[in-house]
Amino acid sequence: VQLQASGGGLVQPGGSLRLSCAASGDILSINNMGWYRQAPGKQREMVAIITSGGIANYADSVKGRFAISRDNAKKTLYLQMNSLKPEDTAVYYCNLRGISSSYRTLDAWGQGTQVTVSS
């Protein structure tokens, strides 16, 4: 299973970015998908998670600014980030939890995409 994340970059404070994460490989079904981030010198933290039914959960620090969504047919996860702040600067990772065709539990991570918020 591979997760390909894209959409990161350099943006000014108050700006917006949209991250995408496309999943491929032996995936029978996908349960939760999520975005995590890791800033320099800090531990990886959850940003947002979305269930297979579309229920989303957000970190308090991004509530009202970020929106997670998924396209189950395309096996793609999105993160719309608005009103970005310098403290949002981090490497963003996508995560997939699901089941393979051989009923093996999947817990896959993307390679990470850098988001830098700076003037």
Side-chain angles (χ1 to χ4, degrees), residues 21-66:
C21 176
S24 61
D26 181 14
I27 302 170
L28 177 63
S29 66
I30 301 174
N31 298 325
N32 290 359
M33 299 184 78
W35 289 99
Y36 295 74
R37 67 187 182 187
Q38 187 167 18
K42 295 187 177 181
Q43 290 188 333
R44 189 174 298 188
E45 63 176 357
M46 186 274 288
V47 176
I49 294 175
I50 186 167
T51 69
S52 57
I55 297 173
N57 186 36
Y58 297 93
D60 288 343
S61 59
V62 307
K63 281 181 182 177
R65 300 188 297 121
F66 290 10

Side-chain angles (χ1 to χ4, degrees), residues 92-104:
Y92 284 69
Y93 299 90
C94 53
N95 173 257
L96 174 155
R97 296 188 178 182
I99 304 293
S100 73
S101 62
S102 59
Y103 299 99
R104 180 173 58 91

